């Protein structure tokens, strides 16, 4: 925190801090060799995540008082100080320092907490076969002309919270947003992909989505490595119902299959064969098993 290693319970700020004006990133480090074991860690897709943090900062009037390289070194120190040798999550958070101008602030706090998580990926995955029932939210996704979803700010997640709580009240596992035009947008914390007749379809950045690092990478590797056509285009609600397979992708969600939308069962098989294939390939990439993607792994050393 602000250049020092501090135990979480001592990383304190005043209750008057405008944390709600902050931005953040969600990044993961995975174990080399097998994402369900322990050992050496590599941070996946550090560069695109940190580039997005800088874009989120620019949009939100934040000047990050460190270089990208300093944040990388701080992240590595945070992981090492925790002594992690299993997969861990990294969440750089930056917000205006109280008393320095709030919306026009001149000084900023920078904290890089790291903590362990359980992956959905890899063999003998206990979560992958669980049913996941989603509902189309009655709340629309925030739009770019009011609160840009492309920047990763805490404020955006108030919109996600409305949809998550509505879905829970209605007895669903989660929500899917439409954008203000009525096209499929994204989940509350992940991007959405549909598989139909061997093609993968995902909404464009203009459908009020976060510019997801995972989505961008999936678009590339699904086409290049798995030889499946990928269409980035607007998708209607009815097309989503008529999918053979639906899954979420994101740093947190990894690959999360969807079994039904609005109680309409998706496809014949759950999780579908394409979803399984993508998840398997992604877990190999994260474990450093695919040479051409070594450049996306930042070693924790
Ligand atoms: N959309 C939203 C709203 C999210 O919170 C996330 C998670 N950061 C994503 C999409 C996926 O983005 P990424 O692949 O960069 O993690």
């Amino acid at each position: 925190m602000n250049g020092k290693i501090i135990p979480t319970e001592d990383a304190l700020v005043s209750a008057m801090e405008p944390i709600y004006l902050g931005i953040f990133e969600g990044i993961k480090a995975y174990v080399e060799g097998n994402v369900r074991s322990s050992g050496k860690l590599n941070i996946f897709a550090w560069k695109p995540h940190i580039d997005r943090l800088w874009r989120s900062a620019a949009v939100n009037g934040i000047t990050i008082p460190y270089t990208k390289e300093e944040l990388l070194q701080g992240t590595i120190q945070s992981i090492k100080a925790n002594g992690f040798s299993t997969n861990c999550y990294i969440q750089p958070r930056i917000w205006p320092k109280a008393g320095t101008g709030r919306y026009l602030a001149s000084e900023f706090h920078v904290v890089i907490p790291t903590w362990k998580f359980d992956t959905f990926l890899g063999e003998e995955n206990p979560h992958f076969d669980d049913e996941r029932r989603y509902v189309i939210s009655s709340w629309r996704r925030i739009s770019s002309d009011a609160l840009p979803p492309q920047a990763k700010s805490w404020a955006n997640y108030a919109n996600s919270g409305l949809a998550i709580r509505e879905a829970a009240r209605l007895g669903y596992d989660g929500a899917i947003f439409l954008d203000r035009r009525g096209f499929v947008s994204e989940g509350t914390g992940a991007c959405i992909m549909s598989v139909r007749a061997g093609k993968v379809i995902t909404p464009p950045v203009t459908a009020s989505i976060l510019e997801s690092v995972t989505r961008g990478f999936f678009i590339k590797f699904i086409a290049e490595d798995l030889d499946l056509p990928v269409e980035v285009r607007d998708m209607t609600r009815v097309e989503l119902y008529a999918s053979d397979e639906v899954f979420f992708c994101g740093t947190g969600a990894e690959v999360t299959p969807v079994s039904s939308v609005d109680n309409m069962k998706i496809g014949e098989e759950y999780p579908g064969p394409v979803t399984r294939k993508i998840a398997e390939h992604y877990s190999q990439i994260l474990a450093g098993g695919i040479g051409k993607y070594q450049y996306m792994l930042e070693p924790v050393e």
Side-chain angles (χ1 to χ4, degrees), residues 4-297:
K4 295 197 189 78
I5 294 286
I6 304 176
T8 311
E9 59 274 21
D10 298 335
L12 303 175
V13 292
S14 154
M16 300 308 286
E17 287 285 331
I19 295 176
Y20 57 91
L21 295 175
I23 55 161
F24 70 108
E25 260 309 316
I27 309 168
K28 280 178 171 175
Y30 286 88
V31 176
E32 194 165 292
N34 177 350
V35 295
R36 299 193 82 80
S37 63
S38 66
K40 180 178 172 264
L41 293 170
N42 294 305
I43 303 169
F44 180 68
W46 169 265
K47 188 174 186 310
H49 277 290
I50 229 61
D51 287 348
R52 184 173 66 191
L53 184 68
W54 252 254
R55 290 199 302 275
S56 299
V59 171
N60 285 282
I62 289 173
T63 308
I64 301 173
Y66 296 98
T67 63
K68 292 178 181 177
E69 181 57 28
E70 283 170 333
L71 283 204
L72 174 61
Q73 292 313 319
T75 298
I76 290 172
Q77 282 174 35
S78 175
I79 295 171
K80 283 187 169 173
N82 275 317
F84 293 149
S85 59
T86 56
N87 301 335
C88 70
Y89 184 77
I90 303 152
Q91 192 178 77
R93 304 163 172 218
I94 303 169
W95 69 92
K97 265 189 194 165
T100 73
R102 199 177 294 257
Y103 296 111
L104 300 169
S106 55
E107 290 178 42
F108 303 88
H109 285 291
V110 179
V111 184
I112 314 174
T114 54
W115 62 83
K116 289 183 182 189
F117 73 90
D118 287 328
T119 182
F120 285 95
L121 300 168
E123 279 170 31
E124 291 164 44
N125 178 339
H127 305 297
F128 211 65
D129 296 327
D130 294 347
E131 288 247 309
R132 284 199 179 72
R133 301 170 52 249
Y134 283 77
V135 66
I136 301 284
S137 183
S138 73
W139 297 99
R140 293 293 170 100
R141 188 71 180 128
I142 43 171
S143 22
S144 312
D145 58 355
L147 191 59
Q150 292 81 19
K152 201 165 170 67
S153 64
W154 289 118
N156 292 355
Y157 289 83
N159 179 228
S160 297
L162 290 167
I164 289 169
R165 289 188 297 274
E166 179 189 53
R169 283 195 303 275
L170 297 173
Y172 292 91
D173 297 312
I176 296 166
F177 281 117
L178 303 182
D179 68 11
R180 65 183 303 179
R181 304 165 305 157
F183 289 108
V184 175
S185 175
E186 62 178 342
T188 54
C191 281
I192 196 160
M193 297 200 161
S194 150
V195 182
R196 205 172 169 192
K199 265 192 300 205
V200 178
I201 308 163
T202 194
V205 172
T206 43
S208 280
I209 65 169
L210 177 72
E211 279 196 272
S212 153
V213 169
T214 318
R215 170 187 167 280
F217 182 58
F218 275 32
I219 289 169
K220 178 181 151 71
F221 89 63
I222 291 170
E224 272 183 29
D225 303 356
L226 306 180
D227 212 18
L228 294 168
V230 181
E231 285 182 11
V232 177
R233 61 162 176 83
D234 283 323
M235 197 196 305
T236 66
R237 180 177 188 159
V238 164
E239 274 185 286
L240 193 65
Y241 294 157
S243 301
D244 298 328
E245 303 175 36
V246 173
F247 64 90
F248 290 106
C249 71
T251 303
E254 301 177 324
V255 176
T256 301
V258 171
S259 53
S260 67
V261 177
D262 293 345
N263 275 330
M264 309 249 219
K265 187 173 171 290
I266 301 296
E268 303 274 304
E269 204 183 316
Y270 176 81
V274 174
T275 307
R276 286 185 184 280
K277 205 165 151 187
I278 291 169
E280 172 55 29
H281 196 64
Y282 186 44
S283 67
Q284 281 180 23
I285 292 169
L286 294 170
I290 299 192
K292 71 172 178 173
Y293 297 122
Q294 275 300 328
Y295 76 97
M296 297 199 63
L297 302 174

